[in-house]
């Protein structure tokens, strides 16, 4: 375990250059909204539904802002792939403390591989030293983009980070794995994805919200970045989860085991 | 009483600019909703600042830009984290820690939305107060949002607009940062609806005022550091003079001669401390006066407009929430073999209430858009306040009914709002007072012979 101040001085020594952090921000249906499936089962209803920043991305932004407050990072770029309205989520990231933003504007359905390729294109333009993404988005729960980006860039990855520190000019990332914590050391540039326990995101202050609208958002189309959004998957149908049926009371442990074995068929 | 919306705080750095330009510059919007022609409605407008990211202007019929929405988001999070987990405890205690909470809320900047920049505010227009009031409606009680509203939109608007730089530095700056808690002293034992009848008086002695009298039902009174007090600085020689003998003065609550009663025991709004305040030869410098002597009544009537619009905005989210929670409860609660909500009478009632909440929202947004554009909205603000009081009572009463016995239990939110929302028809001007104003301004009052 290294102390914060030790991390500080070491970082200053190692990074005399500017340490640039890029964070991914996705516009998703707000976590508190009750999701409704469209009548034609083609997807979920998004019209007139409150949209927010993916909560794991908030954690990613928060981590970047904390790195900047610790003077480890000097610039934070928030990036999104999404419709014009996704600008609202970029604005939230800017209000939390990102310095500027990149918006890849598209109305198309995007798969993790598309987003990873677009992020690669932006990484090539911006050359960040560290990319922080959420571990997954709460809409499609894919949990792929960070890993794919790391592979495309051939950068080390630390997925599901629950703690991040700078050590010896590289990163030390603690991950929650089955049975405990795993600590990885990696060189920069790298990709990490934020787990729920990495930090608790701040609320944006009023002055920062007002400042955010003065910050720059660069816009690109997918064509400009040379990425073709080829659809590899076809959604056949989106359905509601099955309705919960009322439970039944059992008289004895034997009956319970019998039901589990023969009715629910969950044990044999 | 007809009033024009008054200019924004004089200390705002942009105060010298024409109103439209000011608003546009502040919000990054090219145009104001009420002034958009139909042709322009819904068209995205761009800021004149070439560096600025574009601001999405409100959709037709709405008043909020993306900045408003961002502010609401931040406030809602604050409420969910810093207020809601403690509400049960505060309700039981009959008080919430105003000092502590205001300091945290003030640190985020939200106590200073519309206040002058030199006092730590952001000099935004009133739409931002309304947005904040709506977001505070996320709270699980009415008392705490009301206490915050007293600080931001009831006790301080006149000070921000008319207070001298000195008096603002002394009382407004710390109220924006949250170091000081403010209260509003208008109502008295003998003067609630008829504000002009108040008898608290100040006589001059050297450079001081010597104040005697007292105030009743003072919100935040137990914890307040200062009071925005409306009092008489001269006796009213005639009936007409009751409107011109009043002055607004900032009174530090720790001044000798100020005494505060034990907390008053209330039906609702139990997280909020309400007291009676007595003044006995209370000596404060005349420099603590807000604006001009004799203009206090006018200032207060203006302050009431914002208070009433704030009240309407604050009621929207709780009403919406209660209706939705009632529907959710009624869809799982079984009666006679089917959910309560399967009864058309029940869900039609909820549908009607939901419709009325949207009616109130539309009226509010219209009033606010006109107000920020500089129009007089006394009539519309009074209608908003009346409708809020009436509707909040109907929503909480109707919804409580569908919860059956659970609705009568203190553990359900609907019963708390049933008690809390009862205030809206009384505080800040009773329904009947609003009706009188609507009669007068709406041409519904009889012409009295021999009276002007
Ligand atoms: C919880 C709470 C907090 C408060 N906080 C504050 C505060 O912070 N600062 C402050 O100054 N005041 C505060 N008040 C006081 C509040 O504004 C007054 O109670 C309100 O204005 C009504 O005045 P009143 O109680 O004197 O009622 P009265 O004036 O006695 O009126 C009684 C009733 O008479 C009826 N009535 C009045 N006028 C007419 C009319 N023209 N025609 C027909 N009927 C009429 C109405 O139904 C009214 O409710 C608070 C009150 C409460 C309950």
């Amino acid at each position: 375990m290294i102390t914060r101040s030790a991390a500080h001085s070491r970082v200053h020594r190692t990074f005399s250059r500017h340490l640039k952090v890029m964070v991914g921000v996705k516009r998703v249906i707000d976590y508190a909204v009750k999701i409704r499936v469209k009548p034609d089962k083609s997807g979920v209803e998004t019209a007139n539904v409150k949209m927010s920043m993916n909560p794991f991305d908030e954690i990613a932004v928060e981590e970047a802002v904390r790195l900047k407050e610790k003077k480890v990072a000097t610039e934070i770029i928030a990036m999104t792939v999404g419709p014009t309205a996704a600008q609202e989520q970029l604005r939230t990231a800017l209000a939390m403390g990102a310095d500027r933003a990149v918006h890849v504007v598209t109305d198309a359905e995007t798969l993790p591989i598309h987003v990873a390729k677009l992020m690669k294109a932006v990484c090539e333009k911006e050359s960040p030293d560290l990319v922080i993404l959420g571990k997954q988005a709460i809409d499609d729960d894919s949990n792929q983009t960070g890993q794919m980006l790391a592979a495309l860039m051939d950068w080390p990855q630390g997925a599901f980070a629950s703690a991040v520190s700078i050590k010896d000019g590289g990163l030390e990332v603690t991950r929650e794995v089955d049975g405990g914590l795993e600590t990885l050391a990696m060189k920069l540039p790298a990709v990490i994805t934020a787990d729920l326990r990495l930090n608790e995101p701040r609320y944006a202050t009023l002055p920062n919200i007002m400042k955010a609208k003065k910050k720059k958002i660069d816009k690109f189309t997918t064509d400009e970045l040379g990425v073709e959004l080829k659809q590899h998957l076809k959604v056949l149908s989106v359905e509601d989860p099955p309705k919960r049926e009322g439970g039944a009371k059992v008289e004895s442990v034997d009956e319970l085991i019998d039901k589990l074995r023969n009715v629910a068929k969950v044990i044999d | 009483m007809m009033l024009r919306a008054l200019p924004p705080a004089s200390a705002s750095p942009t105060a010298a600019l024409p109103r439209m330009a000011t608003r546009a510059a502040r919000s990054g919007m090219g145009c104001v909703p009420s002034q958009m022609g139909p042709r322009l409605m819904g068209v995205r407008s761009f800021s004149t600042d070439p560096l600025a990211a574009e601001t999405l202007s409100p959709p037709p019929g709405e008043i909020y830009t993306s900045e408003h929405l961002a502010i609401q988001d931040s406030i809602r999070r604050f409420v969910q984290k810093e207020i809601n987990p403690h509400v049960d405890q505060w309700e039981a205690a009959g008080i919430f820690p105003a000092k502590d909470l205001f300091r945290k809320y003030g640190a985020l900047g939200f106590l200073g939305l519309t206040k002058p920049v030199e006092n730590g505010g952001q000099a935004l227009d009133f739409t931002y107060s309304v947005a904040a009031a709506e977001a505070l409606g996320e709270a699980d009680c009415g008392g705490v949002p009301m206490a915050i509203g007293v600080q931001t939109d009831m006790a301080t608007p006149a000070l921000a607009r008319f207070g001298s730089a000195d008096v603002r530095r002394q009382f407004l700056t710390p109220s924006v940062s949250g170091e000081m808690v403010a209260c509003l002293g208008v109502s008295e034992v003998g003067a609630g609806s008829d504000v002009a009848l108040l008898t608290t008086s100040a006589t001059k002695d050297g450079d001081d005022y010597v104040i005697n009298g007292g105030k009743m039902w003072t919100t935040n009174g137990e914890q307040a550091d200062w009071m925005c007090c409306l009092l008489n600085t001269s006796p009213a020689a005639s009936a007409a003079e009751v409107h011109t003998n009043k002055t607004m003065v900032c009174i530090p609550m720790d001044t000798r001669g100020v005494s505060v009663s034990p907390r008053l025991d209330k039906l609702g709004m139990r997280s909020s401390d309400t007291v009676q305040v007595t003044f006995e030869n209370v000596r404060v410098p005349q420099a603590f006066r807000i604006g001009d002597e004799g203009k206090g009544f006018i200032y207060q009537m203006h302050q009431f407009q914002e208070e009433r619009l704030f009240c309407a905005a604050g009621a929207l989210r709780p009403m919406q929430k209660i209706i939705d929670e009632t529907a959710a409860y009624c869809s799982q609660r079984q009666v006679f073999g089917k959910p309560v909500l399967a009864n058309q009478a029940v869900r039609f009632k909820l549908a009607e209430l939901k419709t009325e909440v949207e009616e109130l929202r539309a009226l509010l947004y219209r009033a606010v858009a006109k107000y920020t554009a500089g129009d007089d909205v006394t009539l519309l603000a009074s209608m908003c306040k009346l409708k809020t009081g009436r509707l909040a009572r109907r929503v909480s009463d109707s919804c409580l009914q569908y919860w059956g016995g659970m609705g009568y239990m203190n553990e359900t939110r609907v019963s708390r709002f049933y008690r809390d929302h009862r205030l809206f028809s009384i505080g800040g001007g009773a329904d009947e007072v609003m009706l009188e104003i609507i009669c007068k301004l709406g041409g519904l009052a009889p012409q009295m012979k021999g009276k002007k």
Side-chain angles (χ1 to χ4, degrees), chain B residues 9-72:
Chain B
S10 55
S12 131
T14 44
L17 298 174
R19 175 123 210 131
M20 288 293 303
T22 311
R23 194 188 134 103
R26 282 180 193 152
S27 64
M29 283 171 50
C31 42
V32 177
S34 65
Q35 305 227 342
M36 275 188 220
R39 203 171 44 84
L40 276 174
M41 278 291 199
V43 172
R44 212 189 305 139
S45 46
F46 296 88
S47 161
T48 48
D49 181 346
L51 260 187
E54 66 204 69
T55 293
L56 298 175
S57 64
E62 304 278 333
I63 54 174
Y64 301 144
T65 64
S66 42
E67 279 75 46
H68 292 83
L69 301 181
I71 287 166
Q72 288 189 313

Side-chain angles (χ1 to χ4, degrees), chain A residues 152-216:
Chain A
L152 291 173
M153 297 301 292
D154 200 16
W155 285 354
Q157 60 171 292
F160 320 132
S162 61
V164 175
S165 59
I166 296 281
K167 199 174 185 181
D168 300 330
L171 276 189
E172 198 168 84
V173 177
T174 306
R175 319 172 58 225
E176 290 186 10
V177 293
D178 275 359
L181 298 177
E182 179 184 72
T183 304
L184 302 176
M186 63 188 71
K187 290 209 177 78
L188 293 172
V191 178
I192 58 178
T193 71
D195 209 338
L196 196 61
R197 274 165 290 275
L198 181 56
N199 60 51
E200 204 182 319
R202 68 196 58 201
Y203 347 96
T205 67
L206 176 62
N208 287 342
I209 291 170
M210 301 317 291
K211 265 184 233 152
K213 80 177 175 199
K214 301 257 174 202
K215 293 180 178 174
K216 206 168 86 186

Side-chain angles (χ1 to χ4, degrees), chain B residues 2-270:
Chain B
M2 296 287 284
L3 286 162
R4 300 282 306 167
L6 295 157
S10 55
S12 131
T14 44
L17 298 174
R19 175 123 210 131
M20 288 293 303
T22 311
R23 194 188 134 103
R26 282 180 193 152
S27 64
M29 283 171 50
C31 42
V32 177
S34 65
Q35 305 227 342
M36 275 188 220
R39 203 171 44 84
L40 276 174
M41 278 291 199
V43 172
R44 212 189 305 139
S45 46
F46 296 88
S47 161
T48 48
D49 181 346
L51 260 187
E54 66 204 69
T55 293
L56 298 175
S57 64
E62 304 278 333
I63 54 174
Y64 301 144
T65 64
S66 42
E67 279 75 46
H68 292 83
L69 301 181
I71 287 166
Q72 288 189 313
D73 217 60
S74 202
I75 293 177
R76 269 193 297 266
R77 279 158 193 259
F78 180 87
V79 170
Q80 280 157 2
K81 180 148 172 263
E82 306 287 349
I83 297 179
N84 286 350
H86 311 289
V87 163
D88 286 345
Q89 195 193 332
W90 296 342
E91 287 281 304
I95 193 165
F96 77 104
K99 283 263 161 73
D100 181 50
L101 192 75
F102 285 9
R103 222 171 275 140
K104 286 185 197 158
Y105 193 64
L108 297 175
F110 298 127
L111 290 174
L113 288 160
T114 59
K115 299 299 186 287
V117 172
E118 64 174 66
N119 297 112
Q122 289 283 331
L124 298 166
D125 68 47
F126 187 63
T127 55
Y128 286 86
S129 274
V130 174
E134 264 199 71
L136 286 170
E138 198 62 39
D140 285 338
C141 66
V144 178
M146 173 175 75
I148 294 173
V150 166
Q151 176 99 353
T152 56
D153 292 87
M154 301 175 201
T156 49
L159 172 62
R161 282 200 181 80
F162 307 109
S164 66
D166 273 349
V167 78
R168 277 189 285 114
R169 189 173 332 110
Q170 197 135 1
F171 297 101
L172 189 58
T173 303
S175 303
V176 167
S177 68
E179 279 154 68
M180 276 193 181
V181 175
C183 65
L184 174 68
V186 175
S187 306
E188 298 184 0
V189 172
S193 301
D194 195 352
V195 174
L197 279 187
L198 66 86
T199 58
T200 298
S201 68
T203 51
K204 285 182 190 166
D205 184 31
D207 290 338
D208 292 341
Y209 284 128
V210 179
I211 300 165
N212 281 286
K215 293 293 170 180
M216 190 56 178
W217 305 296
T218 308
T219 299
N220 292 351
E222 190 172 327
Q223 308 185 71
D225 297 285
W226 67 278
M227 174 190 278
C228 168
C229 183
L230 187 66
L231 43 72
N232 297 326
T233 35
S234 61
S238 70
E241 273 179 38
V242 294
H243 298 138
T244 54
N245 69 336
K246 294 186 170 44
T247 301
M248 237 177 215
V249 180
C250 299
I251 304 179
M253 296 293 280
D254 60 0
T255 316
R256 237 176 79 170
V258 177
S259 53
V260 168
S261 74
R263 201 177 308 152
L264 303 174
D265 186 19
K266 306 190 294 298
L267 170 70
M269 297 291 193
R270 295 193 66 90

Side-chain angles (χ1 to χ4, degrees), chain A residues 19-83:
Chain A
L19 184 57
K20 224 189 215 187
V21 181
M22 186 168 103
V23 287
V25 166
K26 185 179 186 185
R27 177 179 171 90
V28 298
I29 296 180
D30 187 82
Y31 76 96
V33 170
K34 207 166 152 258
I35 305 289
R36 277 177 306 142
V37 172
K38 283 186 189 161
D40 68 0
K41 300 191 172 175
S42 65
V44 299
E45 196 58 75
T46 52
N48 293 318
V49 168
K50 179 170 160 47
M51 307 294 282
S52 295
M53 189 194 301
N54 175 37
F56 291 106
D57 297 347
E58 282 180 15
I59 297 171
V61 176
E62 176 67 32
E63 197 61 22
V65 174
R66 289 185 189 188
L67 288 175
K68 193 172 172 190
E69 284 169 347
K70 288 181 200 158
K71 309 245 188 296
V72 173
T74 48
E75 188 179 28
I76 303 169
I77 304 162
M79 119 144 226
T80 195
V81 176

